[in-house]
Amino acid sequence: MAPPKHDDFMDMASDSDNSFDEGLQRKGKGKSKSTDKRKKDQNKRKPKDVQAYTWEASYTRSWEAVREDEAGSLQHAVEDYVARGRRKRLQDPSTAIRRTIIRHLVLVLDLSASMLDRDMRPTRFSLTLQYAREFVLEWFDQNPLGQMGVVGMRAGVGERIGSMTGNPQDVLKAISDRHKLEPSGDTSLQNAVEMARNSMNHLPTHSSREIVIIFGSLTTVDPGNIHETLEECIKSKIRISMVALAAEMKICRDLCVKTGGQFGVALNEGHFKDLLFELVPPPAQRSLSRAAGAGATTTSANLMLMGFPTRLPGASPPSLCVCHSDLKSDGFLCPRCLAKVCDVPTDCDICGLMIVSSPHLARSYHHLFPVKPYVAVESLDESSPTCCGCARPFPTVVSQTVTEGVSPIGRYRCPDCRQDFCSDCDVFIHDVLHCCPACGK
Amino acid sequence: MDRPSHLSVVIDLDPSRWDTLNLSLFLSHLLGFFNAHVAAKHENTLAVFGAFPAKSVMLYSSSDPIAEIPPNDANSYPPFKLVDSTVVNRIARELELIADDDLDAPVALVGALTKALCYINRLTVEANAATTSSTDQSLEPVALPDPRILIVSVSPDITSSYIPVMNSIFSAQKLKVTIDACQISGPENVFLQQATHLTGGSFIYAERQDALLQYLIMALLSPPSVRRTIAVPTQDKIDFRATCFCHKNIVDIGFVCSVCLSIFCQPVPVCSTCRTKFPIKTLQKLNSSRPPLPQSNSSRAPTPSSSSARPSTTPRPPATPPTGSDQRHLPRSVVNGHAP
Ligand SMILES: [Zn+2]
Ligand SMILES: [Zn+2]
Ligand SMILES: [Zn+2]
Ligand SMILES: [Zn+2]
Ligand SMILES: [Zn+2]
Ligand SMILES: [Zn+2]
């Protein structure tokens, strides 16, 4: 996460320096232009005036289109990026840590007028919607047993956009119509958090309760004392994480830090996405106990009752489903009450049994048994000529640039089977495959 | 077939099984299939992986240089000859290399499958680097046109490889890879059936080994984009019910550890996998709400569910209707009018 800066929010929100972007060589130009732009933004806080700056719509950051060949500085930037990812992975404990597999999350979207700002292309609002959709898909992909709800902050109130559901399509549908979500008015952090909290109050203790807020505003208009809300959240073990698009606010950081969540200010579009997607993997359970302090126990383990449904083949006689009352032939039968539901995982609409299929459980196993991080190989001794995963020939020359965590000869070795992999395979194996091709661990 | 497609083939080469089957006949069918794929379109790419006991090897790939170029033969088309001789020579060499004490080791099908996925990932990365700016670190790779993996299997399931197989399936879904499987002998491989089902491929059990080439060409030669218009066999009977970790029984309603997701057929005080202790209260509640056991699967009557266990065991969304206009959450009638 980028180091927070407190001094000057104008500088903060401008697209500036993380190490990845430095390679793009756009410092001087980029800084001055965007600072200018921010000054103009100050004058047009009222949404009516936004259209006055239509030139902004066609304005592109030409420096971001810079593309260079392999020998250029861009290659270095990419390597830097990869190296950062590797270092981060090495910091993570590789042993099987406890993670909360059953997650409940409320995604809070800022829909105030500040989201019409164009400092993120094309607007903060469009970009937020786009990333939110990708986030929902990725989140359900990695947390198939989780449930997600959506709350909007608009015109000073919290607005329920989608209620808690385990079906990604339902969530996507809730945030698909951008006209219904058109930003206006002020943000009320307290109202939104209260609304999110209320929708999670009844949840069992072995599941996580999380709030993820995308916050574009610099103010919050609250009906009461937001610190009381914060206390309540700590009490009910709700973890708040936030991605701020404008600048850091004390209350925002407090909300996150005191509840054990993560806080970050997005520097640019790519960083925004990085911050948001850091929240996708299930949180390790240690953070909760640290934040809640004395008296709190870790999220309790529990034995859950789950039903494994019978799948009806596509050729079976059509019948009505209990979830949509649609007539169709395929579906799943609840093992307890034999009601037919369209999709799993879900809670049976009739008897309330949690219905999952075994692949859904299997999808979460990799969080519990992660692949050990590979070690960057430093010397050419006893190394194979090709990548063990994809059979790509390794470079035979030693790279001159020395970066921590990056192998100068492009080889990364599994500590168990001592086989070498290229950096693409290293990323793929740890991020997607979760299984070492050579030793199957 | 207007777009080129990539095919990775994983061959199960367990010598103990090939004792009873005819390997050379099988290979000649398979090579015919490779040639058909290579001939279908000039840009089609092919990779072949062999799964040997405790070892998996890439036998051929059309993107990597071949060490020994076979001598020209007036009677064969050079690209066919290249594939055929490379695959056959590599298999022969690897079979000779197998150590005696490795012969009984389980065949490394997962290793070969994961290597095939790594290879497809490499092709995807290379294709992306060629078309888009490499600064765009988007999570979804731009999909390669129609990549697919064909697994030719002669072995039954290896239970210990369940998690890696499932992980491979999910990676294949991410890379938009279709997995096809063709099984030649032995009991039906349930993992492969799940793999094909979850990735939209087809599973074929070749009842007649001498007709293998016909099975392959009729059902598995066409790329997935074409299959929508032709009738390719799919399976409908796959069951995704789970087995309990304690007795390996198939369970309808199981008790699942919230920490490690182990499945048990009855409430247990301590998880046998991760040693987590469960609260007594939950156990009592679960015991009281448990459907009478043992209950045979054939005579499942709807058991009256006691609602006492509900608050603690099933997270339910709040009953508040959304402010949007969608009608999904309107009260619905209870419909249960189908025969089990
Ligand atoms: Zn339905
Ligand atoms: Zn039911
Ligand atoms: Zn590789
Ligand atoms: Zn390994
Ligand atoms: Zn059991
Ligand atoms: Zn457990």
Side-chain angles (χ1 to χ4, degrees):
Chain A
M1 203 174 296
K5 288 179 245 167
H6 302 266
D7 47 357
D8 178 9
F9 78 83
M10 282 169 53
D11 188 48
M12 197 60 231
S14 72
D15 34 41
S16 58
D17 44 10
N18 61 11
S19 58
F20 180 40
D21 290 310
E22 259 161 31
L24 298 173
Q25 299 174 338
R26 59 179 175 81
K27 272 169 270 170
K29 196 181 167 197
K31 198 77 143 211
S32 63
K33 273 219 173 150
S34 57
T35 322
D36 282 349
K37 191 158 69 72
R38 288 299 302 182
K39 276 180 192 146
K40 283 183 182 133
D41 284 354
Q42 297 305 301
N43 304 330
K44 54 131 191 164
R45 273 286 164 225
K46 280 177 221 136
K48 280 176 205 160
D49 294 342
V50 169
Q51 287 314 308
Y53 295 94
T54 43
W55 60 270
E56 288 183 330
S58 57
Y59 173 80
T60 53
R61 295 184 186 149
S62 51
W63 57 86
E64 284 196 346
V66 171
R67 226 179 275 178
E68 299 193 29
D69 56 51
E70 295 97 74
S73 61
L74 200 61
Q75 186 61 33
H76 191 86
V78 173
E79 269 168 20
D80 246 20
Y81 187 88
V82 173
R84 262 199 306 159
R86 284 189 50 81
R87 279 196 294 272
K88 200 171 132 259
R89 199 157 47 229
L90 285 171
Q91 283 162 11
D92 288 343
S94 62
T95 49
I97 43 164
R98 249 192 203 196
R99 288 182 182 274
T100 318
I101 298 295
I102 318 281
R103 297 176 77 187
H104 289 85
L105 183 142
V106 175
L107 181 64
V108 179
L109 300 175
D110 191 343
L111 298 176
S112 67
S114 62
M115 294 300 281
L116 293 168
D117 247 346
R118 290 190 197 275
D119 61 345
M120 304 237 176
R121 310 300 308 167
T123 61
R124 285 183 185 176
F125 173 60
S126 317
L127 195 70
T128 302
L129 279 192
Q130 183 199 329
Y131 284 172
R133 281 183 210 120
E134 291 171 24
F135 175 76
V136 169
L137 283 176
E138 184 70 16
W139 193 85
F140 275 104
D141 190 57
Q142 295 210 25
N143 305 281
L145 301 178
Q147 298 201 15
M148 194 191 274
V150 186
V151 166
M153 298 187 281
R154 174 157 60 176
V157 293
E159 213 177 299
R160 192 184 304 278
I161 295 172
S163 54
M164 272 285 178
T165 169
N167 185 343
Q169 294 313 319
D170 287 350
V171 182
L172 285 181
K173 206 167 145 199
I175 58 172
S176 63
D177 189 356
R178 60 175 293 150
H179 295 296
K180 267 191 218 148
L181 304 175
E182 204 54 53
S184 72
D186 293 309
T187 311
S188 172
L189 206 51
Q190 188 184 21
N191 282 336
V193 171
E194 282 291 345
M195 173 170 270
R197 191 174 70 83
N198 285 332
S199 64
M200 291 192 286
N201 254 344
H202 62 289
L203 294 176
T205 48
H206 58 257
S207 68
S208 78
R209 307 166 182 195
E210 296 165 60
I211 301 178
V212 168
I213 307 175
I214 299 177
F215 194 70
S217 178
L218 285 169
T219 52
T220 161
V221 184
D222 294 331
N225 184 353
I226 194 166
H227 292 278
E228 283 167 14
T229 307
L230 173 58
E231 288 303 318
E232 288 298 316
C233 287
I234 294 175
K235 221 182 279 170
S236 29
K237 292 182 190 163
I238 292 178
R239 190 185 143 103
I240 303 178
S241 297
M242 203 181 286
V243 179
L245 305 183
E248 175 167 334
M249 280 162 66
K250 176 84 167 70
I251 183 62
C252 295
R253 176 166 282 277
D254 278 0
L255 279 176
C256 299
V257 170
K258 291 196 175 152
T259 57
Q262 299 182 20
F263 177 82
V265 179
L267 302 167
N268 54 35
E269 291 89 341
H271 190 227
F272 177 17
K273 188 168 185 177
D274 286 352
L275 287 176
L276 192 59
F277 278 66
E278 270 174 26
L279 304 170
V280 168
Q285 285 194 356
R286 60 193 141 74
S287 47
L288 266 172
S289 52
R290 173 177 55 86
T297 51
T298 50
T299 311
S300 56
N302 218 331
L303 203 56
M304 299 174 294
L305 194 62
M306 284 189 189
F308 300 96
T310 314
R311 196 174 68 95
L312 292 177
S316 57
S319 59
L320 295 171
C321 71
V322 295
C323 35
H324 315 84
S325 300
D326 280 345
L327 192 67
K328 50 168 78 174
S329 30
D330 49 351
F332 299 85
L333 293 186
C334 167
R336 187 152 74 182
C337 67
L338 295 183
K340 178 172 134 179
V341 294
C342 287
D343 219 347
V344 290
T346 183
D347 290 345
C348 174
D349 288 279
I350 306 301
C351 69
L353 181 70
M354 188 172 180
I355 307 178
V356 297
S357 69
S358 45
H360 287 114
L361 293 183
R363 210 178 254 277
S364 294
Y365 285 148
H366 73 81
H367 295 305
L368 306 166
F369 313 106
V371 188
K372 282 185 190 168
Y374 290 173
V375 189
V377 183
E378 302 293 341
S379 74
L380 275 169
D381 310 334
E382 55 156 321
S383 60
S384 58
T386 57
C387 167
C388 176
C390 65
R392 183 201 313 255
F394 279 126
T396 44
V397 287
V398 179
S399 161
Q400 295 309 312
T401 50
V402 180
T403 326
E404 189 203 339
V406 175
S407 163
I409 48 172
R411 292 159 167 83
Y412 301 91
R413 188 167 290 171
C414 170
D416 282 341
C417 58
R418 320 279 313 151
Q419 297 287 341
D420 291 352
F421 296 89
C422 68
S423 71
D424 281 341
C425 285
D426 179 30
V427 172
F428 178 70
I429 287 165
H430 286 91
D431 288 356
V432 181
L433 196 54
H434 305 294
C435 168
C436 175
C439 56
K441 286 276 169 132
Chain B
M1 280 203 201
D2 47 348
R3 289 197 306 173
S5 70
H6 171 77
L7 172 70
S8 279
V9 184
V10 172
I11 316 173
D12 179 348
L13 290 164
D14 187 346
S16 61
R17 302 220 162 244
W18 287 110
D19 280 350
T20 52
L21 299 167
N22 189 338
L23 181 59
S24 63
L25 175 73
F26 161 78
L27 275 182
S28 69
H29 282 268
L30 213 51
L31 293 175
F33 179 68
F34 295 165
N35 292 343
H37 173 77
V38 171
K41 186 154 180 71
H42 182 67
E43 292 89 356
N44 276 357
T45 48
L46 174 75
V48 185
F49 298 83
F52 298 94
K55 186 181 180 187
S56 57
V57 179
M58 178 187 251
L59 301 171
Y60 171 82
S61 89
S62 43
S63 65
D64 290 320
I66 305 296
E68 61 256 60
I69 306 251
N72 250 339
D73 181 349
N75 292 320
S76 62
Y77 179 53
F80 291 176
K81 176 87 181 164
L82 186 67
V83 177
D84 297 358
S85 61
T86 316
V87 170
V88 171
N89 291 342
R90 292 291 311 264
I91 289 179
R93 199 187 321 154
E94 293 297 337
L95 284 177
E96 272 167 27
L97 282 177
I98 297 176
D100 280 344
D101 43 341
D102 270 350
L103 270 178
D104 294 329
V107 71
L109 200 66
V110 170
L113 178 59
T114 46
K115 278 182 186 174
L117 286 166
C118 281
Y119 182 70
I120 290 177
N121 178 58
R122 166 186 159 192
L123 295 182
T124 312
V125 168
E126 283 171 0
N128 280 356
T131 51
T132 62
S133 156
S134 50
T135 52
D136 180 26
Q137 295 284 343
S138 64
L139 271 158
E140 300 80 15
V142 177
L144 212 63
D146 284 345
R148 61 210 155 98
I149 295 178
L150 166 65
I151 304 173
V152 185
S153 163
V154 291
S155 316
D157 294 316
I158 305 163
T159 29
S160 64
S161 65
Y162 175 67
I163 293 176
V165 168
M166 291 314 275
N167 283 338
S168 310
I169 294 174
F170 301 135
S171 320
Q173 286 178 331
K174 268 217 165 134
L175 289 171
K176 302 202 168 54
V177 174
T178 309
I179 298 182
D180 297 318
C182 178
Q183 196 173 1
I184 294 174
S185 72
E188 291 199 355
N189 191 315
V190 183
F191 293 173
L192 291 186
Q193 285 183 336
Q194 298 206 359
T196 56
H197 176 79
L198 289 171
T199 57
S202 28
F203 179 87
I204 290 182
Y205 192 93
E207 274 143 35
R208 292 192 48 179
Q209 285 157 30
D210 52 351
L212 179 65
L213 182 60
Q214 192 160 5
Y215 284 112
L216 293 174
I217 287 190
M218 294 304 284
L220 304 177
L221 182 62
S222 51
S225 58
V226 180
R227 290 189 196 171
R228 260 174 267 129
T229 48
I230 57 175
V232 168
T234 53
Q235 340 88 87
D236 243 350
K237 55 177 180 181
I238 305 164
D239 204 341
F240 285 117
R241 270 179 302 168
T243 50
C244 71
F245 285 30
C246 38
H247 312 92
K248 305 281 172 216
N249 288 340
I250 289 186
V251 287
D252 277 341
I253 298 181
F255 299 87
V256 179
C257 167
S258 73
V259 175
C260 68
L261 299 179
S262 301
I263 305 164
F264 305 99
C265 58
Q266 54 203 12
V268 288
V270 177
C271 171
S272 59
T273 312
C274 67
R275 306 260 153 239
T276 304
K277 284 194 182 114
F278 302 121
I280 302 285
K281 259 190 202 165
T282 328
L283 290 178
Q284 286 164 348
K285 266 181 196 161
L286 289 177
N287 267 320
S288 63
S289 72
R290 194 145 63 104
L293 281 176
Q295 191 184 22
S296 72
N297 285 339
S298 53
S299 64
R300 273 176 312 175
T303 46
S305 59
S306 86
S307 57
S308 66
R310 220 165 82 187
S312 74
T313 52
T314 50
R316 286 199 60 81
T320 335
T323 50
S325 67
D326 48 357
Q327 309 151 18
R328 285 169 295 113
H329 299 275
L330 292 181
R332 55 237 143 188
S333 54
V334 174
V335 185
N336 195 6
H338 44 74

